[in-house]
């Protein structure tokens, strides 16, 4: 199931459809979250 | 005993408490962590796409560097780092194409000979929970602790090998050895929502509410975890529900902070200033 979900996500991202857009993340969240959240989020959800 | 140690990027910033208490607590047990030279971020996530070996390179480089130093084990405590290192190592050992392409890129000849290990595995296998019980068996004085694994330590089971993926027990054994009472709760391996805090915070709110409510219903006085992002999500979400009726705040600690408290590491050196729910009342009792 994980591989299927990843495949769908990758197909979507490679079409240029971003889910996570940096400008849309609230500033207070960007400042407070551990950076592992930003790294993993951008790797999985940004084109 | 000296072991090579990879702290990871978050332990240098938002999770300094996890780094400091890991080093201090293991040192008190005679395990001295030697930091891996010139380390970088592990990459945080493991790619499942078959054509995405580049996302494995960062973790592979860390493992290859460890091998070049003659080490066969690399300790890391962050659940994300542990997950990525183990899965990349598994890929290199079992996927010839992955091994070849990654080694070509790194200009290395790494074959998966380094074993990523978690501090709980060091304590269980090298020090021994029985020995821990003999030395420190009354330390937690019956503190009721909910052991939260999250998703990254235990899944996929065939690669992580961290115990039963639905009911792991290594944290519970650790707590029991220190004289605490591990409480059983239904959501100990349920994902907290992870990086979805960035774009779908409501999902994280729903997930963490379930986890916290389950732990509270089981009578937990504290929750322990090994993941800075789990700690952040479970801890900070309590701020959003603080005014809700019948909500009992529960401090969310790293398991190493509990062990450091047992060894009387000063509270001001544990990084607890990053916590929203103040754990001092719990730690002072130890």
């Amino acid at each position: 199931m994980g591989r299927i979900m990843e495949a769908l996500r990758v197909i979507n991202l490679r079409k240029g459809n971003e889910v996570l857009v940096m400008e849309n993340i609230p500033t207070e969240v960007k400042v407070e979250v551990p950076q592992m959240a930003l790294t993993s989020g951008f790797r999985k959800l940004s084109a | 005993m000296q072991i090579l140690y990879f702290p990871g990027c978050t332990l240098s910033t938002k999770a300094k408490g996890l780094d400091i208490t890991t080093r201090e607590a293991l040192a008190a047990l005679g395990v001295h962590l030697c930091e891996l030279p010139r380390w970088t971020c592990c990459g945080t996530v493991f790619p499942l796409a078959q054509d995405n070996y580049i996302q494995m390179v960062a973790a592979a480089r860390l493992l290859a560097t460890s091998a070049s130093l003659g080490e066969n084990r690399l300790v890391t405590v962050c659940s994300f780092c542990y997950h990525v290192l183990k899965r990349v190592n598994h890929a290199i050992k079992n996927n010839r194409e992955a091994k070849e392409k990654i080694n070509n890129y790194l200009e290395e000849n790494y074959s998966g000979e380094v074993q990523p290990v978690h501090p709980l595995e060091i304590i269980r296998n090298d020090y021994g929970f029985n020995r821990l019980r003999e030395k420190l068996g009354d330390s937690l004085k019956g503190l009721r602790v909910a052991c939260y694994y999250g998703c990254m330590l235990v899944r996929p089971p065939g690669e992580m090998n961290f115990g039963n993926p639905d009911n792991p027990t290594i944290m519970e054994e650790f707590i029991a050895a220190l004289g605490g009472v591990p409480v059983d709760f239904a959501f100990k391996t349920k994902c907290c929502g992870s990086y979805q805090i960035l774009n779908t915070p409501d999902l994280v709110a729903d997930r963490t509410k379930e986890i916290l409510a389950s732990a509270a219903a089981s009578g937990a006085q504290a929750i322990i975890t090994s993941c800075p992002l789990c700690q952040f999500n479970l801890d900070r979400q309590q701020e959003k529900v603080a005014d809700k009726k019948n909500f009992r705040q529960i401090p969310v600690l790293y398991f190493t902070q509990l062990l450091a408290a047992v060894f009387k590491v000063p509270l001001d050196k544990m990084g607890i200033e990053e916590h929203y729910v103040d754990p001092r009342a719990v730690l002072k009792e130890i």
Side-chain angles (χ1 to χ4, degrees):
Chain A
M1 179 62 75
R3 289 184 182 275
I4 293 171
M5 291 172 67
E6 174 92 333
L8 293 173
R9 182 170 46 225
V10 168
I11 289 169
N12 195 42
L13 287 179
R14 293 182 184 182
K15 287 179 181 174
N17 299 325
E18 282 201 319
V19 175
L20 181 64
V21 178
M22 187 175 71
E23 291 79 8
N24 294 344
I25 304 172
T27 302
E28 63 271 17
V29 173
K30 277 188 274 198
V31 166
E32 289 190 353
V33 291
Q35 69 255 45
M36 57 200 280
L38 294 166
T39 309
S40 50
F42 288 137
R43 281 196 141 183
K44 288 291 189 181
L45 302 173
S46 294
Chain B
M1 179 169 65
Q2 287 195 327
I3 302 184
L4 204 57
Y5 172 57
F6 167 63
C9 53
T10 302
L11 268 69
S12 302
T13 55
K14 295 290 187 181
K16 284 181 183 169
L18 179 54
D19 180 48
I20 294 167
T21 54
T22 296
R23 294 175 196 254
E24 296 272 351
L26 287 188
L29 294 176
V31 179
H32 297 279
L33 300 178
C34 301
E35 192 165 324
L36 183 71
R38 298 184 67 235
W39 57 263
T40 61
C41 175
C42 65
T44 68
V45 292
F46 180 79
L48 295 177
Q50 298 281 312
D51 62 350
N52 196 0
Y53 295 125
I54 195 68
Q55 284 198 358
M56 298 188 200
V57 165
R61 181 184 160 275
L62 298 169
L63 294 163
T65 302
S66 306
S68 72
L69 294 171
E71 301 289 335
N72 60 6
R73 292 197 294 180
L74 179 64
V75 174
T76 192
V77 66
C78 166
S79 298
F80 269 56
C81 299
Y82 180 72
H83 180 97
V84 173
L85 286 172
K86 285 212 82 166
R87 296 195 72 182
V88 167
N89 212 46
H90 184 269
I92 288 173
K93 286 165 78 168
N94 295 284
N95 181 331
R96 192 164 45 177
E97 186 182 68
K99 178 186 169 188
E100 185 183 327
K101 289 199 171 183
I102 293 169
N103 275 308
N104 281 344
Y105 189 87
L106 288 174
E107 296 183 341
E108 294 278 359
N109 190 22
Y110 179 68
S111 301
E113 59 266 34
V114 173
Q115 183 192 3
V117 289
H118 192 273
L120 282 168
E121 294 174 310
I122 297 287
I123 295 171
R124 181 188 61 193
N125 300 338
D126 293 80
Y127 190 84
F129 284 145
N130 285 339
R131 194 169 152 203
L132 198 69
R133 184 176 290 108
E134 282 165 17
K135 187 181 168 82
L136 302 163
D138 294 328
S139 302
L140 294 185
K141 303 183 180 73
L143 181 71
R144 296 177 64 82
V145 180
C147 302
Y148 179 69
Y149 294 77
C151 57
M152 299 292 257
L153 284 177
V154 297
R155 294 191 286 274
E159 295 176 39
M160 299 306 295
N161 288 313
F162 206 70
N164 184 327
D166 297 313
N167 188 25
T169 57
I170 193 171
M171 281 195 196
E172 284 81 354
E173 292 173 65
F174 167 75
I175 291 297
L178 292 175
V181 176
V183 299
D184 195 23
F185 70 115
F187 293 97
K188 69 181 189 180
T189 60
K190 188 172 175 102
C191 180
C192 66
S194 191
Y195 52 79
Q196 300 285 354
I197 188 66
L198 299 173
N199 66 313
T200 323
D202 289 343
L203 180 145
V204 174
D206 289 343
R207 291 282 184 108
T208 52
K209 206 179 346 178
E210 278 185 322
I211 295 164
L212 291 165
S214 177
S218 297
Q221 294 169 273
I223 295 172
I224 59 168
T225 182
S226 180
C227 175
L229 189 46
C230 296
Q231 195 283 332
F232 178 84
N233 283 341
L234 290 173
D235 186 40
R236 296 301 174 95
Q237 289 300 315
Q238 297 190 54
E239 184 178 7
K240 296 184 172 48
V241 295
D243 59 346
K244 294 275 190 284
K245 204 173 150 186
N246 298 326
F247 176 76
R248 175 169 67 88
Q249 287 189 335
I250 308 177
V252 184
L253 291 158
Y254 298 116
F255 73 96
T256 49
Q257 286 173 320
L258 267 190
L259 188 54
V262 165
F263 284 116
K264 307 300 179 199
V265 172
L267 292 183
D268 61 358
K269 293 198 187 311
M270 286 198 198
I272 58 176
E273 64 277 2
E274 292 285 343
H275 293 239
Y276 167 71
V277 180
D278 193 339
R280 270 179 286 218
V282 166
L283 294 174
K284 277 180 183 168
E285 291 297 315
I286 296 172

